[in-house]
Amino acid sequence: MRNQILHMIFSKLNVARNLILFTCLLCLSLSSNAQVSFISGELKMSINKQGSLTELSNSASGKNYLSADTLSGLITLVSKSMRFQPSSMSYDKTQKKMTLGYKEAGVTIDVRVENKNTHLLLEIIRAVPAIKIDAIIWGPFPNTIGKTIGEIIGVVRDGEISLGIQVLNIKTLGGDYPSLEGSTWARGIAAVPAKWGSKLQAYSINRDRDRFVDAWGGLYKNMPVKALKGETVVGSKIAVFSCKEAQTFDRLEQIEIAENLPRPKVNGVWFKKSNVYGKSYMISSYGEKDIDEMIGYTKRAGLVSLYHEGPFKSWGKFVLNPEQFPNGKNGLKNCVDKAHAAGLFLGMHTLTNFINTNDPYVSPVPDNRLSFTGTSTLNRNVDADQNTIEVISPEYFNDEKGNNLHTVKIGSELIRYKSVSSTAPYLLLDCQRGAFGTTRTAHQAGDQVGKLLDHSYNVFFPNLDMQREIATNIANLMNETGVDHLDLDGHEGALASGQGDYALELFAKDVYDQVKHDFIIGTSLSKTFYWHIGSYYNWGEPWYGGFKESMQQYRIDNQGLFDRNYMPHMLGWYLLAENTTLSEMEWMLSRAAGYNAGFAMVARPAALRKNSQTNQLLDAIREWEMARNGNAFTQAQQEQLKNPKNEFHLEKRSEGKWTLHQYAMSPVFTREKFERQPGEPTHTTWNLQYKWKEQPLQFRMQITGEKGSVKNIKMQIDNYMELLFPVELASGESLVSDGTETIRFYDKNGKPKGSFKLQKKLPTVSAGAHKILIDSDFSGEENPKIEVQFKGLSSSEDIQLN
């Protein structure tokens, strides 16, 4: 009996033990199904059974950076213009495949997951049914890092670690699907600020169906866009990573190598670590006859490339200008060979896919692949001379936004029209037949009438297929001639295809893939995938004012963008004109040294020949650039050099050694009109305390006020020397003395207006008190004022290559 009781007890204990074991295994199974974690390098990403992120942590810091303030699915689905979070997630460890379900939308997405030493690879390998998918968004991934947000490259930093995503192909764009077109005018939206820190995001569009989009960032409404067969969201791919902040740049290079991304090199070195990174270059309008002269100027200035600002007779087929290159491609190749022999790159400027109206793609027979904003059909037959054309619908033709050339294409004829009738029958009025050298032709009712997409530069654009051919044209020309410097100015022209930023990325990659030698490349726009291709981003133009005035704040603001996105600092284009002075040049070079920024110097042959200071200007560029690139300036000096109110002069002592002189500025002295008694002197007296060593008098005179002008200006120094300025200055204009006999004056935008020579040398002034008398005649109801600020060389520091 006792044995039976003991047997019963042990049997029950075994059952209980087995039940406990089963319960533990069940809990473990549920736990493993509830969440899956991936570890790649320092990154750990965890995702729950609903497909939402629960962790984005870094093992070195031990912190989870995922924000708890908002839900974050691994992939957001866009279907029928609505956004859906995943409702389920399962993971097949054997196949390394994650399956996300979107029950409400009726969609399933399979994602390949691969742990790599440097990053986590995520790729969509199946998305069904495709007909229900508009687009997908990776994330957005909300995180608590907000100190430094790299909006272009999709990397955020907090001073300790970095967290980022990288798009791994051109079908994956940085951002959160900002429009049906898939484009943004923002510099970048792969990472954006949020109240909790930031968001990391990328997206891909299902392009395998006909669509209607508001193209060119919304300018061209309801533009029809043909399907790109097979171009679905399948294949969209990103890398997610985290590392110490100091290792971020190296980590980006490691991901490029691991994922076989574009990785431009110069002499076998990754461009972003090469000795050409962030270097300045010259822009000019040379030809075969003056290439040797321009190479000499470029070498004297110590610049790395000679870049042609416009070598083409037309864009599209890229026909070279016969006046500059009478021997065509062979002539250009000879120029390239000479530049390479001198150790220079040689470049050419284009506006990407802009097509001139005189290009063979347009005239005399227009290509059928020119881009349309939309189409209608002829409602009646049209003979070859008729100047009113009836169309079924006025849509696209009556839209005046972005309608610069008013041109339609019917068959092989281009026709310009003045306007469209406001009521049916809809007529294109006052038509100019056979426009742009095409042939007048009769057309039949039912023929397609396409409204050509154009631009204020008087150009047309290609569709995506033709765009790819134009990219090939550029690559072929570079391969045939050896040209190794290109700038995709007008990169936004790719938006004419209706395919948004995808088309911009595609154009750049098509060029990159087909050029067979090392080259450097810039762009007018910044895009996330393009970051891997691009060499520099040199924004800021010189056409709107002088060195100090033309887009200067914009240029400075860009430096923060470059810092956030691991891009070389560049200050844009500046113009060396026939009247550019050394003080103007050194003002710009000081800013470049302060920000450690490269620039482009536009210097045309005629200006270089006419400017009496050309050699001094080029020498100054060379010495300042040598000091900048040789890390000769301390951090404290760079902070002073950044300040646009500060002026400097760099004096060479010996090779690699200089003295940095800083100018100091006096207070601003003002003269304004006031009433005097008859016979009383009309001058204004200023007491100048000159605190600097003896040197020729230097000053800047500015006329302030909204209207009016000042003339018959006289300045007397220390009761003995009188200077006469035989010029009338309007409000906003200025006059500058740099210590020489030549006085230069400028318009209200800082552009040079002219110069004159004083009848006598400027006086040399020494430290101490000086009496300045100034007199003038004022005109205008709103009396302007004269403001003068004197300057002089004050402090000096010796610097050398580091």
Side-chain angles (χ1 to χ4, degrees):
M1 182 71 179
R2 186 180 65 181
N3 289 338
Q4 289 178 334
I5 292 172
L6 288 172
H7 178 74
M8 289 175 63
I9 291 171
F10 282 117
S11 295
K12 290 181 178 181
L13 286 172
N14 284 332
V15 170
R17 184 187 65 187
N18 289 337
L19 181 61
I20 292 169
L21 179 61
F22 174 76
T23 301
C24 288
L25 288 172
L26 179 62
C27 289
L28 182 61
S29 175
L30 288 173
S31 175
S32 65
N33 284 334
Q35 179 166 292
V36 61
S37 297
F38 305 98
I39 297 175
S40 294
E42 302 94 320
L43 172 75
K44 182 179 179 183
M45 175 187 280
S46 299
I47 304 168
N48 65 19
K49 64 180 181 180
Q50 285 79 37
S52 295
L53 271 64
T54 59
E55 184 177 7
L56 271 177
S57 62
N58 179 284
S59 59
S61 68
K63 298 177 184 177
N64 180 8
Y65 295 94
L66 184 72
S67 172
D69 288 355
T70 184
L71 185 67
S72 172
L74 178 66
I75 294 177
T76 300
L77 170 71
V78 184
S79 178
K80 296 180 180 179
S81 300
M82 295 187 293
R83 301 191 177 202
F84 299 90
Q85 293 293 309
S87 54
S88 64
M89 182 279 295
S90 62
Y91 180 64
D92 186 324
K93 186 175 181 180
T94 303
Q95 297 186 33
K96 296 182 178 180
K97 182 184 73 174
M98 184 188 309
T99 298
L100 299 173
Y102 300 82
K103 185 176 181 181
E104 188 176 352
V107 170
T108 301
I109 297 177
D110 290 344
V111 179
R112 178 171 75 92
V113 184
E114 185 176 350
N115 294 299
K116 298 196 174 185
N117 292 334
T118 52
H119 62 283
L120 179 67
L121 175 68
L122 301 169
E123 179 183 10
I124 296 177
I125 56 175
R126 180 172 172 268
V128 293
I131 196 172
K132 291 186 176 182
I133 301 173
D134 298 345
I136 63 92
I137 303 166
W138 291 100
F141 304 143
N143 63 87
T144 57
I145 298 174
K147 182 179 180 181
T148 304
I149 299 173
E151 59 266 53
I152 299 170
I153 56 170
V155 177
V156 294
R157 298 174 271 160
D158 67 357
E160 181 182 7
I161 69 103
S162 293
L163 179 66
I165 62 172
Q166 291 287 278
V167 301
L168 300 181
N169 50 36
I170 62 170
K171 73 161 50 189
T172 311
L173 304 170
D176 63 342
Y177 189 44
S179 66
L180 296 179
E181 179 191 31
S183 72
T184 176
W185 291 117
R187 286 302 185 194
I189 54 172
V192 295
K195 62 181 180 180
W196 50 78
S198 61
K199 294 187 292 184
L200 300 172
Q201 52 196 20
Y203 69 100
S204 183
I205 295 175
N206 180 11
R207 303 177 191 275
D208 189 13
R209 53 181 172 176
D210 293 344
R211 299 179 295 140
F212 287 88
V213 305
D214 292 344
W216 203 289
L219 180 62
Y220 299 107
K221 303 298 183 185
N222 203 37
M223 177 176 168
V225 180
K226 291 292 185 182
L228 300 180
K229 294 302 180 183
E231 187 62 26
T232 66
V233 300
V234 173
S236 179
K237 183 163 53 170
I238 64 169
V240 187
F241 74 94
S242 186
C243 63
K244 292 180 180 179
E245 181 170 324
Q247 298 172 347
T248 307
F249 198 47
D250 290 335
R251 181 61 56 89
L252 293 170
E253 181 185 16
Q254 292 162 357
I255 293 172
E256 277 191 355
I257 295 170
E259 298 303 329
N260 197 29
L261 296 175
R263 189 166 172 267
K265 297 180 181 179
V266 172
N267 298 323
V269 180
W270 186 37
F271 179 85
K272 292 177 173 59
K273 290 184 177 179
S274 76
N275 61 4
V276 186
Y277 187 78
K279 293 292 179 66
S280 304
Y281 56 97
M282 182 174 287
I283 298 177
S284 193
S285 54
Y286 59 87
E288 293 179 49
K289 64 182 180 181
D290 45 20
I291 181 64
D292 296 316
E293 180 186 12
M294 288 309 306
I295 287 174
Y297 288 135
T298 308
K299 292 291 290 182
R300 180 159 190 158
L303 303 175
V304 299
S305 180
L306 175 57
Y307 182 84
H308 201 300
E309 63 181 322
F312 301 109
K313 181 180 177 182
S314 70
W315 301 316
K317 292 287 188 178
F318 300 104
V319 180
L320 289 167
N321 183 342
E323 293 183 5
Q324 294 175 327
F325 299 97
N327 294 300
K329 294 178 183 178
N330 288 333
L332 178 57
K333 185 179 186 305
N334 288 336
C335 293
V336 172
D337 291 343
K338 288 182 176 182
H340 288 175
L344 299 174
F345 291 85
L346 192 130
M348 62 184 190
H349 191 74
T350 118
L351 263 72
T352 308
N353 66 342
F354 288 38
I355 304 173
N356 291 114
T357 57
N358 65 329
D359 190 79
Y361 276 129
V362 174
S363 181
V365 179
D367 196 289
N368 289 328
R369 297 168 298 169
L370 290 170
S371 181
F372 295 146
T373 62
T375 63
S376 183
T377 54
L378 284 178
N379 204 30
R380 297 179 185 275
N381 293 345
V382 176
D383 65 32
D385 298 314
Q386 197 169 323
N387 67 356
T388 59
I389 296 175
E390 185 176 340
V391 293
I392 289 178
S393 169
E395 186 183 11
Y396 308 116
F397 310 106
N398 59 6
D399 189 349
E400 286 301 307
K401 292 182 179 179
N403 190 356
N404 301 281
L405 294 178
H406 280 225
T407 304
V408 298
K409 179 178 179 293
I410 309 176
S412 294
E413 182 185 4
L414 299 186
I415 302 168
R416 301 184 75 177
Y417 62 95
K418 181 179 181 180
S419 58
V420 185
S421 59
S422 57
T423 59
Y426 297 109
L427 302 175
L428 305 184
L429 302 172
D430 195 13
C431 294
Q432 300 175 27
R433 304 296 300 273
F436 305 113
T438 61
T439 302
R440 296 169 177 244
T441 311
H443 306 286
Q444 302 300 310
D447 285 355
Q448 177 181 270
V449 183
K451 170 63 184 68
L452 286 175
L453 195 153
D454 61 36
H455 188 274
S456 60
Y457 281 22
N458 292 338
V459 293
F460 298 121
F461 293 92
N463 66 15
L464 195 69
D465 175 58
M466 187 181 177
Q467 172 189 296
R468 302 197 73 176
E469 183 173 294
I470 289 175
T472 298
N473 293 344
I474 291 176
N476 287 344
L477 180 60
M478 294 177 71
N479 289 332
E480 291 171 28
T481 62
V483 165
D484 50 5
H485 185 178
L486 179 70
D487 207 319
L488 298 179
D489 197 3
H491 203 167
E492 63 274 15
L495 297 174
S497 66
Q499 296 290 358
D501 288 346
Y502 170 86
L504 277 78
E505 301 281 32
L506 179 64
F507 191 95
K509 189 170 187 298
D510 277 344
V511 172
Y512 174 82
D513 286 344
Q514 295 178 79
V515 176
K516 298 175 182 178
H517 52 263
D518 294 346
F519 68 103
I520 55 179
I521 185 170
T523 179
S524 59
L525 295 177
S526 51
K527 298 299 171 186
T528 303
F529 187 84
Y530 178 84
W531 184 89
H532 300 286
I533 295 173
S535 308
Y536 62 83
Y537 308 75
N538 198 22
W539 302 321
E541 299 179 358
W543 323 122
Y544 314 111
F547 276 70
K548 299 181 181 181
E549 291 83 6
S550 189
M551 304 180 73
Q552 191 58 33
Q553 190 56 50
Y554 168 77
R555 300 169 192 266
I556 300 305
D557 291 344
N558 282 333
Q559 306 313 306
L561 175 81
F562 300 151
D563 275 332
R564 297 191 297 271
N565 291 281
Y566 294 97
M567 294 152 67
H569 285 232
M570 301 294 287
L571 278 176
W573 296 20
Y574 291 91
L575 179 64
L576 193 165
E578 60 186 70
N579 44 18
T580 297
T581 65
L582 182 61
S583 61
E584 290 173 318
M585 183 65 73
E586 289 202 292
W587 182 91
M588 184 278 293
L589 292 168
S590 301
R591 306 293 85 76
Y595 288 100
N596 191 19
F599 53 85
M601 185 57 60
V602 181
R604 292 154 181 154
L608 289 165
R609 293 168 193 147
K610 290 180 181 179
N611 193 310
S612 61
Q613 292 186 292
T614 287
N615 288 342
Q616 290 174 271
L617 297 172
L618 298 180
D619 290 347
I621 293 172
R622 182 189 65 247
E623 297 304 321
W624 276 94
E625 282 292 277
M626 186 184 297
R628 175 178 78 87
N629 292 312
N631 300 314
F633 301 105
T634 66
Q635 187 171 350
Q637 288 168 342
Q638 284 184 294
E639 290 304 311
Q640 290 297 313
L641 289 161
K642 287 179 183 179
N643 189 338
K645 295 181 180 179
N646 293 338
E647 296 188 30
F648 297 86
H649 170 62
L650 190 67
E651 179 186 1
K652 182 178 180 179
R653 291 186 288 124
S654 60
E655 195 65 27
K657 295 181 179 180
W658 304 268
T659 299
L660 179 65
H661 302 281
Q662 183 169 1
Y663 286 96
M665 311 301 289
S666 75
V668 175
F669 294 92
T670 302
R671 167 176 166 77
E672 54 187 315
K673 184 178 181 180
F674 52 90
E675 297 299 326
R676 300 288 182 113
Q677 295 180 16
E680 184 181 0
T682 59
H683 64 255
T684 301
T685 302
W686 298 330
N687 294 310
L688 171 64
Q689 292 296 323
Y690 202 78
K691 302 177 181 179
W692 318 300
K693 65 181 181 180
E694 188 174 64
Q695 56 195 287
L697 185 67
Q698 299 184 58
F699 59 87
R700 176 184 177 86
M701 181 184 296
Q702 181 86 33
I703 310 303
T704 62
E706 294 185 6
K707 294 181 180 179
S709 64
V710 181
K711 61 183 178 180
N712 297 328
I713 304 170
K714 294 183 289 187
M715 181 185 290
Q716 181 177 289
I717 298 95
D718 292 334
N719 296 322
Y720 85 101
M721 179 172 282
E722 186 171 79
L723 305 176
L724 304 177
F725 304 109
V727 62
E728 183 172 359
L729 298 175
S731 181
E733 295 184 337
S734 59
L735 177 152
V736 174
S737 162
D738 61 2
T740 68
E741 295 176 18
T742 301
I743 302 294
R744 292 174 171 82
F745 50 100
Y746 302 82
D747 69 14
K748 63 181 180 180
N749 295 315
K751 285 187 175 182
K753 282 191 68 176
S755 64
F756 59 88
K757 284 196 172 184
L758 294 170
Q759 295 177 349
K760 58 188 75 174
K761 281 187 176 182
L762 283 164
T764 297
V765 290
S766 56
H770 298 273
K771 185 177 181 182
I772 308 293
L773 304 182
I774 186 163
D775 207 347
S776 64
D777 294 331
F778 294 92
S779 66
E781 294 181 3
E782 297 182 25
N783 293 317
K785 297 178 183 179
I786 297 177
E787 293 184 351
V788 175
Q789 191 169 28
F790 298 91
K791 73 175 186 179
L793 288 171
S794 59
S795 61
S796 299
E797 295 179 83
D798 288 342
I799 62 172
Q800 63 183 29
L801 293 178
N802 186 2

